[in-house]
Amino acid sequence: MLVKVLSASISGLATIGVDVEVNVASRGLPAFEVVGLPSKTVDESKERVKTAIVNSNIEFPARRIIVNLAPGDVPKQGSFYDLPIAVGILAAVIQFKIPKNSLFFGELSLDGTLRHTKGALLLALFAKEKGLKRIFVPRSCANEAAVIEGVDVYPIDSLNQLIGYFLEHIDIKTAKVSQVNKKIPIVQPEFDMAEILGQEQAKRAMEIAAAGGHNLFMCGSPGSGKTMLARALQGILPMLIGGEQLGVTKIYSAAGRIPPEGSLIKIRPFRSPHHTISQVGLIGGGSRPQPGEVSLAHRGILFLDEFNEFPRSVLEALRQPAEDGWVSISRSKERVRYPCEFMLIASANPCPCGYLHHPKKPCACTQREIEKYRKKVSGPILDRIDLHVDVPAVDIKEFSGNEQLKTNLETSEQIQKRVVLARKLQQERFAKEDVYTNSEMKNSHIKKYCILSKEVKQLLRRAGVAFQLSARSYFKMIKVSRTIADLEGAQEINASHMAESLQYRPKAQIKDL
Amino acid sequence: MKNIITIEDPEYPKLLREIPFPPERIYYKGNWEASIFKNCLAVVGSRRMTSYGRQITTKLVSEIANAGITIVSGFMYGIDATAHKAAVDAGGRTIAVMPCGIDMVHPPHQESLYNEILENNGLIVSEFEENHPPVIWTYPQRNRIVAGLSIAAMVAEAGERSGSLITAHLARKYERKLFVIPGPLTSKNSQGIMQLIKEGASIVAGSKDILEVYNLESLSPAEPSLNLPAFNELEQAILEELQREPMKIDSLSRFTQKSVSEVGTAVSLMQLKGLLAEEDGKYYINTGGGNVS
């Protein structure tokens, strides 16, 4: 007898439909084969399915069973074909009817229960696109799949429960995203801006970066608070909005990074890979391309601490993704494209020992070592960073005896409010454009939305000569001043906005003399 | 053609001849004129210069060089290079005594300074020939020429075991006048200076102290008053704070009780007006020598 069960195949973030055809022959020697380009994981599902059926107290048919995953020329991977294969065999043996327009997804445990499986959201999305009504998923994936409205998500615990549903019509309650939303607590970032003493200018730079989505480069001695600042940045960014949430969750679903019971991701991701990371780890890749750190930081923060220590080749690979907002990874078996709109926050020490310009500790580096150290970061990468800020060591003594300085610090929440307002202005401004934030503006946008008065132009020209700004820096200053104006709620960029933005110009990396 | 002066030549600097073991031969680049050796001041100091060191050296040396005194130093990076540069910028003359053969530029990244010295009637001199590499013993040996050429020596920033102390001790041995620029007691770069003061070195409080030794008057105009009426309140407050010591934006914002945004704006504008200069993240009042226009 032949049974057809619907499932799908995942490649990157894309899905295509797969028919799981199960034939339990009435003649022939007993066998169990899977065809249709199964990978090792899919092939192993034979053993899992067989044992799970037996352990569910159902006799496994001693007949010739052929499973075909059609279309036959697309490679299949992933452990989620367990459930559709098992359902196909059971339907043939116990003789029940599978309701039309149903999709099955999930990995089996040997005892017949279902395990957490990656990619549920992508399958649900596929179901919706194809107009399918029902999707059966492991219970721990139900919250994730339920994000997609218009498809009934059936959380399944075990094979027996499923048989009960089909044979005796024992009802299974579908998962609803509205109930899920209430359950999930909002994760607070590790640090609040109010916990950081001093560093007023760096905090201001963080605020500007958050408001305009600008990349930021911090330079300072060890222990001055660079990492704390970067982590606190997460708390002043606005929450992910509608489409952004789905976009981020898709990547995490594909990477199998949504925990059991997890659902939509609402807070902006914060990724801080160590500097020993490989190019594939950062950009993504593998023979079956997986998303890299740049994609996991989509719509969030990619924090590269000890920027100068990253291998040059890895940093160079960052250029195109940082510019375009997506990476295309091509391997012999597969070509996938992952989005990666991230904010780059980089930090570095001023010299190899870290104590150059430190008020207390002497620097042990020679001029040559310092130059060599600074030259490690390529110019083109630094050129893509809008805001440059020094994070000097804080002298705690400056604060002792002045309690006001310690207590009157702004909290992340207060700063976030201003950031949200500034972002709203940008949304209105770019409603008809394909950019979201000031940092993404191209030259044509700058001409249109950043009209400078004569006075401001004059100021910028003067600064260009005095501070030796490159043509690219010139445009960066305009973008940053646009964000500063937005933070103030101002329509036009005035001289003060421009003057402040000059504070964040790239400092000369190597001073002659 | 090789430019060599030997100890027998009448052009050989008189002062240098007085020291024990004067160099037999001096290789040089540039114009050898007797006048350049008339009033020489050795300016030496730490390689690990602080921004204070750079500021004060630039200020004093430009005033001194402007008055017609030749600045002699060792062409090392740090205070040495700053002194050469300040002298050149002020339109004065300067002599760089190299620790290596005359055909080399060491440290190589200072080649532009090397050329500037020559273009401004300065001299590059060395007792080592051709491509003699700079090695551990050539540095102290070079120092005796720096001290020997000069009527007086001025030390700015020296750590406990700084090479500039060698020059200072040589200057004393040759009975030349020894001056030091005082620095903050908290700085490592002041330890050598304090040692020299204890041993009897004179303190420089201004360029006048040096010029008196040479019986010269200051040529540079009096420092412009900073309290011009055109400044707004915040600018005035910032200038007042910076008169005490150079500061970061963060500290300025704390002392003036204004937001970093306001202070940052004001400081950028003041920098463009040429009122302030920045170094290593700290701002200080621009006392001339700055090139921001």
Side-chain angles (χ1 to χ4, degrees), chain B residues 4 6 13 20 26 29 35 41 47 71 108 133 150 161 185-186 188 190 200 204 214 218 227 248 258 269 280 288:
Chain B
I4 309 171
T6 64
I26 298 177
K29 282 184 182 170
S35 68
L41 171 71
R47 297 176 185 193
I71 304 297
S150 311
R161 283 165 35 191
L185 285 178
T186 48
K188 279 237 156 111
S190 296
V204 183
Y214 297 83
S218 170
N227 296 325
K248 306 175 291 206
K258 297 278 183 191
L269 291 173
D280 309 335

Side-chain angles (χ1 to χ4, degrees), chain B residues 7 12 16-24 127 141 144 173-174:
Chain B
I7 197 155
Y12 194 88
L16 189 58
R17 201 172 277 166
E18 288 173 11
I19 70 168
F21 313 110
E24 291 285 326
E127 63 178 311
Q141 197 163 332
R144 85 186 197 288
K173 201 167 132 196
Y174 304 156

Side-chain angles (χ1 to χ4, degrees), chain A residues 200-201 357 398 499-500 503, chain B residues 250 254 261 264 268 272 280:
Chain A
E200 290 86 351
Q201 194 175 30
H357 312 320
E398 275 190 50
E500 196 191 342
Q503 283 291 314
Chain B
D250 291 350
R254 253 170 261 148
S261 155
S268 289
L272 286 178
D280 309 335

Side-chain angles (χ1 to χ4, degrees), chain A residues 198-202 204 357 362-367 371 390 392-393 398-399 405 459 462-463 466-467 496 499-500 502-503 505 507 511 513, chain B residues 48 54 77 81-82 85 109-110 113 188 248-251 253-254 257 260-261 264-265 267-269 271-273 278-281 283 292-293:
Chain A
Q199 305 301 11
E200 290 86 351
Q201 194 175 30
R204 171 74 177 163
H357 312 320
C363 168
C365 310
T366 64
Q367 193 74 25
E371 273 170 35
D390 279 336
E398 275 190 50
F399 294 91
L405 284 177
L459 176 70
R462 222 165 118 186
F467 301 140
S496 333
E500 196 191 342
L502 290 172
Q503 283 291 314
R505 67 182 187 275
K507 308 274 160 31
K511 282 190 182 126
L513 192 103
Chain B
R48 293 193 186 130
R54 183 199 286 262
Y77 55 85
T82 306
K85 176 82 177 143
H109 70 266
Q110 289 182 167
L113 176 62
K188 279 237 156 111
K248 306 175 291 206
I249 294 271
D250 291 350
S251 314
S253 127
R254 253 170 261 148
Q257 306 208 326
V260 269
S261 155
T265 305
V267 164
S268 289
L269 291 173
Q271 216 179 337
L272 286 178
K273 286 183 202 162
E278 184 246 332
E279 168 126 14
D280 309 335
Y283 288 87
V292 171
S293 55

Side-chain angles (χ1 to χ4, degrees), chain A residues 89-158:
Chain A
I89 295 172
L90 292 174
V93 176
I94 315 180
Q95 304 265 331
F96 59 78
K97 229 177 145 108
I98 299 166
K100 265 191 183 165
N101 295 332
S102 304
L103 199 87
F104 292 85
F105 164 90
E107 178 184 328
L108 278 171
S109 182
L110 293 186
D111 59 1
T113 58
L114 281 127
R115 298 176 54 87
H116 186 64
T117 318
K118 72 174 184 183
L121 177 75
L122 299 176
L123 262 284
L125 206 63
F126 169 78
K128 180 167 185 187
E129 278 166 17
K130 294 285 176 251
L132 302 177
K133 294 266 156 45
R134 281 167 228 94
I135 168 166
F136 294 83
V137 300
R139 181 168 291 279
S140 63
C141 304
N143 289 347
E144 185 186 328
V147 164
I148 306 299
E149 286 175 45
V151 180
D152 288 339
V153 176
Y154 289 84
I156 307 298
D157 290 314
S158 65

